[in-house]
Amino acid sequence: MRLFVAAWPPGEVRDALRSIPRPTLPGVRWMPEDTWHVTLRFLGEVADPDPVVDSLRAEVPGHGPQPATLDAATTRLGPVLVVRVAGLDRLASLVRSATAPAGDDPRSDPFVGHVTVARARGRGVPDALVGLGLAGGPVTWSVDEVALVRSITGAAGARYETRATVPLG
């Protein structure tokens, strides 16, 4: 099964993300609210999630809640439209280390916290979508747990199923 470790945003962050204008443009698909998350580590295919959960439970608790800040506007990140999230670098590093033996090799590039809000086909994200402001942004919140999430792809796109959560406190 395809797994990743994520931080799910709370209500006030989802409210800010909901406030982004969503013009209808050819080739642009706006992501449904139930997919909004910050990926801390993508694992890829993992046959048995139990050792991943065990590793997270052994390494993550005791580090305490981590402050995260959602930016005030959208930006382009490769082929997707995102809202950047600052403050989770240490947590992502901890998650990468705890889950290193599982799935795909951990990425060596720097962590870039973000929530994907739209995907675009063809030429990528149109310039008109970059810099769309969020009501009430930037928004700071406390990440107090991480989730091991299964990605299930289908004709309508991906849906996510939380397999386990691990508190940071």
Side-chain angles (χ1 to χ4, degrees):
M1 66 184 72
R2 290 175 57 105
L3 298 175
F4 61 92
V5 180
W8 292 108
E12 65 269 21
V13 174
R14 291 191 312 269
D15 289 346
L17 292 167
R18 254 187 242 108
S19 74
I20 298 169
R22 287 174 170 70
T24 302
L25 297 171
V28 174
R29 181 172 51 100
W30 292 96
M31 305 307 295
E33 179 178 339
D34 63 354
T35 66
W36 294 340
H37 66 278
V38 180
T39 300
L40 300 169
R41 175 161 184 241
F42 180 75
L43 297 163
E45 290 295 327
V46 175
D48 182 4
D50 291 340
V52 178
V53 174
D54 292 344
S55 292
L56 289 169
R57 287 185 177 145
E59 300 293 329
V60 171
H63 291 274
Q66 302 293 302
T69 302
L70 182 73
D71 202 356
T74 59
T75 190
R76 194 180 280 123
L77 184 61
V80 296
L81 185 70
V82 304
V83 180
R84 290 190 188 254
V85 175
L88 296 179
D89 299 49
R90 189 177 130 219
L91 179 58
S93 179
L94 177 64
V95 166
R96 284 180 179 184
S97 176
T99 60
D104 298 343
D105 288 336
R107 296 177 64 137
S108 60
D109 56 337
F111 171 75
V112 179
H114 65 277
V115 176
T116 300
V117 293
R119 296 186 181 278
R121 292 188 309 259
R123 295 185 204 166
V125 174
D127 290 341
L129 298 181
V130 176
L132 296 174
L134 286 72
V139 179
T140 298
W141 80 98
S142 182
V143 174
D144 57 6
E145 69 180 13
V146 297
L148 181 64
V149 181
R150 179 179 180 201
S151 176
I152 303 164
T153 54
R159 68 180 177 84
Y160 302 134
E161 171 186 282
T162 298
R163 303 287 301 202
T165 57
V166 178
L168 302 179

